[in-house]
Amino acid sequence: MDSHIRSDFLQLMQDIVGEEHVLTNEEMKKHTTFRVGGPADYFVVPHSADEVVSVCCLCREEEIPVHILGNGSNLLVMDEGVRGVVIQVADNLSEYSVDEEAGTLTFEAGVSLAKAAQVACEAGLTGLEFASGIPGTVGGGTRMNCGAYGGEIADCILWAKVADESGDAFRLPKKKLDFGYRQSAIEKNHYVVLEVGMKLDSGDPDTIRGTMQEYNRKRREKQPLEYPSAGSTFKRPEGNYAGALIEEAGMKGYTIGGAKVSEKHAGFIVNTGDATPADIANLIAVVQQRVREKTGVSLEPEVKFWK
């Protein structure tokens, strides 16, 4: 057995989620939108919030690192892979409910943002249209307070049910989630999102659908969706745009190996087909350096690095 794999620990996880739902040495390139990344020691697919909490508790007891994976859309995993446990919270935790009269929706953390926006549309609830083209999950989007087209998750949230590192699960109201630009208390405190409650306004489904279609048309027109990427590579610097600064620094189209600054939108680094994680990481670093030299602005990656 691989030196990173402990048979006793593996058995304990299998007892929680079932043997077929625990993989070892699973290549993360299968699970990230960059389509790169080495193996995770353990890759676990729970099918309830209780199972997520139980696996987290086990990992804490055994002092094994835990990583929570949604859609893998904001993530760069290096070739060395991920030590410890990756817990996938995606289609396996995708239940939801709607109270149209109250204008409230409840989503498990694995519901895709595109699905959540569609559910809201069908219920005649407006405010989540911006999320219809974001390739992430409700849990991941809440953790990082994702946004687009002037909207962000914080605008919609009522509460989030989370689990802490001790395995205690509890509901936090919006005011305790401490939302900021692409950040929240969830990330700061290493909470795991289990479920999210939202409150939206009533609207006309046809109008909502039309707005979503327009946003997605703009996304297809302006973003390099034909290539694997992690979406916007850098956070938006205050008072400016990362893509504009990168273009000003002469980096549009710049390549390292198979990684390239998109010629369609300089805010995106894409995998042209054979990029390695090192290609992408090195290109991110070069872009940061060139932009800092040219403009004096320090770009902060929006992409998370797992090692």
Side-chain angles (χ1 to χ4, degrees):
M1 184 169 283
D2 186 282
S3 60
H4 295 299
I5 306 301
R6 280 176 36 197
S7 58
D8 60 329
F9 178 71
L10 178 61
Q11 183 61 60
L12 290 169
M13 278 199 300
Q14 290 173 341
D15 290 345
I16 294 171
V17 302
E19 183 176 348
E20 69 275 23
H21 300 308
V22 184
L23 304 174
T24 58
N25 297 312
E26 176 71 356
E27 293 290 333
M28 289 300 294
K29 64 185 177 184
K30 300 177 184 176
H31 304 284
T32 67
T33 57
F34 259 137
R35 297 291 176 255
V36 299
D41 293 344
Y42 309 92
F43 189 89
V44 186
V45 186
H47 282 81
S48 69
D50 287 344
E51 287 186 359
V52 173
V53 171
S54 295
V55 171
C56 288
C57 287
L58 172 63
C59 292
R60 182 171 181 271
E61 290 166 7
E62 299 291 327
E63 298 183 341
I64 303 287
V66 175
H67 308 266
I68 306 298
L69 177 75
N71 196 45
S73 58
N74 199 41
L75 183 62
L76 178 61
V77 179
M78 305 309 288
D79 271 335
E80 295 78 12
V82 185
R83 302 288 70 82
V85 173
V86 172
I87 301 175
Q88 185 175 54
V89 179
D91 291 340
N92 48 317
L93 285 169
S94 56
E95 297 295 314
Y96 61 88
S97 61
V98 182
D99 184 334
E100 293 183 26
E101 190 172 334
T104 58
L105 309 95
T106 302
F107 297 104
E108 284 192 315
V111 176
S112 73
L113 288 164
K115 177 67 175 177
Q118 187 61 43
V119 167
C121 175
E122 290 171 359
L125 296 172
T126 183
L128 202 53
E129 291 90 328
F130 72 89
S132 62
I134 298 176
T137 60
V138 168
T142 302
R143 184 177 189 271
M144 69 168 289
N145 189 22
C146 71
Y149 300 112
E152 59 184 15
I153 284 286
D155 300 334
C156 310
I157 295 288
L158 276 178
W159 52 264
K161 184 179 179 182
V162 301
D164 63 18
E165 291 178 307
S166 299
D168 293 323
F170 47 91
R171 185 183 285 194
L172 288 174
K174 178 179 178 175
K175 64 182 179 180
K176 294 281 186 72
L177 292 170
D178 194 22
F179 285 118
Y181 176 68
R182 301 297 178 264
Q183 63 182 20
S184 71
I186 295 163
E187 183 172 19
K188 294 173 191 169
N189 295 302
H190 307 290
Y191 294 149
V192 179
V193 182
L194 303 173
E195 195 174 56
V196 172
M198 297 187 188
K199 174 76 167 72
L200 301 176
D201 295 324
S202 294
D204 173 62
D206 289 337
T207 303
I208 295 167
R209 191 173 295 108
T211 301
M212 286 164 52
Q213 289 170 348
E214 177 61 13
Y215 286 161
N216 288 324
R217 184 194 65 76
K218 288 181 180 179
R219 195 178 290 269
R220 287 191 301 271
E221 184 180 287
K222 297 181 179 180
Q223 297 181 6
L225 304 182
E226 64 272 24
Y227 291 108
S229 79
S232 297
T233 307
F234 300 97
K235 294 180 179 179
R236 189 185 72 236
E238 190 171 346
N240 217 314
Y241 292 94
L245 293 171
I246 294 165
E247 195 165 346
E248 184 183 339
M251 295 296 288
K252 200 171 194 180
Y254 191 92
T255 62
I256 293 180
K260 182 177 185 178
V261 177
S262 169
E263 292 177 277
K264 195 172 187 180
H265 189 316
F268 285 66
I269 287 176
V270 300
N271 176 359
T272 60
D274 58 353
T276 66
D279 291 340
I280 296 167
N282 290 339
L283 185 52
I284 288 172
V286 170
V287 167
Q288 287 176 297
Q289 179 186 345
R290 297 282 178 85
V291 168
R292 191 164 49 246
E293 290 171 353
K294 178 74 176 178
T295 69
V297 177
S298 295
L299 292 179
E300 183 182 349
E302 191 167 300
V303 175
K304 304 300 180 186
F305 292 74
W306 281 6
K307 300 177 183 178

